[in-house]
Amino acid sequence: MFQSNTLSAEISSLKRADRELVEDSFRVMSISLATLQGAEMIPRYIDSPVRDGYQFRVYQQLGELYIKQDRIKDAADTYAAVVRDLARVNTLTLARRPTLAFLDSLAPTAAPLRLLDVGYGDGDMLRAIAHWARARNQSVDLVGIDLNPRSVAAALASSDGGYAIDYRTGDYADLAGEQWDAVISSLVAHHMTHEQLVAFIRFMDAQATLGWFINDLHRHGFAFLGFPLLATLMRWHPIVRHDGALSVARSYRTDEWVPILTKAGVTARVFRS
């Protein structure tokens, strides 16, 4: 992350002619990669610490080229690779445990527990909930909503078909009034603006009859500095490595949630797990 940010700053500081030359070089690289095997070839050519700072920019340029060429499948494959690695991050960091603990705190229901997961990505949280429910003989009606239209295909590709989960594309606000017992979000809140988060909390509080839960990152220097090292060690996708530390930087500390809840007019317990 630090190298890519430094690279962007260095490019911006160049004279116009030099800056255009650098940008043209990245475009030529992306066109060359597009005629080979796409994003899969990037690690083969960027194979040293000296070149590593260019990696994120090459991925970014290649993605922009795919979109311009309407190469939807290539863009979708890149997105699927990113959310698949994010699911691996969640597994290694035990990120699903707080949400499952919240569900354990709810009283068992005779009718199916109707749950909405906002921003499901790869669908790993919903699959974990389905497994949780099966282990407790709790019938469930699981629905995921995600703004990114590529999430449905990514989630289905990661599913083995053993669980009935309704993956949808769209805005969570359009699902108001659908009788939700619980509404959750996992590692999504830090992507929202302050106003979006206030509106989201109001939605959850109004729509969830049994309870709602936001599971998100906590801003901390150790996580900010340590995640890029962990992601590099685990060989996760470069976009995951780059955006992981940025996500930590954008997340909230425990005391910063209080004014957000106050503005939303909602009372809730804020805690670190």
Side-chain angles (χ1 to χ4, degrees), residues 154-200:
L156 290 175
S158 295
S159 302
D160 59 8
Y163 300 116
I165 301 173
D166 183 5
Y167 297 113
R168 303 182 189 180
T169 300
D171 189 339
Y172 73 83
D174 294 334
L175 303 183
E178 291 201 17
Q179 306 299 314
W180 305 107
D181 294 313
V183 181
I184 64 167
S185 78
S186 182
L187 305 175
V188 172
H190 61 272
H191 292 294
M192 298 182 180
T193 65
H194 188 88
E195 294 302 320
Q196 288 172 337
L197 189 52
V198 168
F200 182 45

Side-chain angles (χ1 to χ4, degrees), residues 50-238:
V50 175
R51 297 176 179 177
D52 192 54
Y54 298 95
Q55 194 174 57
F56 177 76
R57 191 58 176 262
V58 175
Y59 272 106
Q60 184 181 48
Q61 194 71 53
L62 182 60
E64 291 175 0
L65 176 66
Y66 284 158
I67 293 172
K68 288 179 181 178
Q69 294 181 339
D70 289 330
R71 291 175 60 171
I72 305 302
K73 183 180 184 302
D74 293 309
D77 287 347
T78 299
Y79 177 78
V82 170
V83 294
R84 187 165 53 247
D85 271 359
L86 286 174
R88 293 178 177 130
V89 173
N90 294 341
T91 298
L92 186 62
T93 60
L94 307 178
R96 304 183 193 100
R97 284 190 175 185
T99 301
L100 297 177
F102 158 73
L103 294 176
D104 277 331
S105 72
L106 301 179
T109 60
L113 177 71
R114 185 163 168 77
L115 179 142
L116 174 65
D117 181 12
V118 177
Y120 60 84
D122 177 76
D124 59 299
M125 187 72 252
L126 284 168
R127 291 191 294 275
I129 293 172
H131 181 76
W132 167 90
R134 179 174 292 179
R136 289 158 179 76
N137 293 318
Q138 170 67 61
S139 58
V140 288
D141 180 7
L142 302 179
V143 178
I145 188 74
D146 200 298
L147 285 172
N148 196 312
R150 300 185 183 97
S151 289
V152 173
L156 290 175
S158 295
S159 302
D160 59 8
Y163 300 116
I165 301 173
D166 183 5
Y167 297 113
R168 303 182 189 180
T169 300
D171 189 339
Y172 73 83
D174 294 334
L175 303 183
E178 291 201 17
Q179 306 299 314
W180 305 107
D181 294 313
V183 181
I184 64 167
S185 78
S186 182
L187 305 175
V188 172
H190 61 272
H191 292 294
M192 298 182 180
T193 65
H194 188 88
E195 294 302 320
Q196 288 172 337
L197 189 52
V198 168
F200 182 45
I201 291 172
R202 287 173 176 164
F203 170 88
M204 300 178 88
D205 196 60
Q207 299 299 319
T209 58
L210 296 181
W212 55 270
F213 191 75
I214 293 177
N215 178 359
D216 203 45
L217 301 171
H218 176 83
R219 191 172 72 256
H220 192 279
F222 178 78
F224 180 80
L225 296 173
F227 183 82
L229 299 176
L230 174 63
T232 300
L233 178 65
M234 299 304 296
R235 302 177 67 84
W236 288 327
H237 197 283

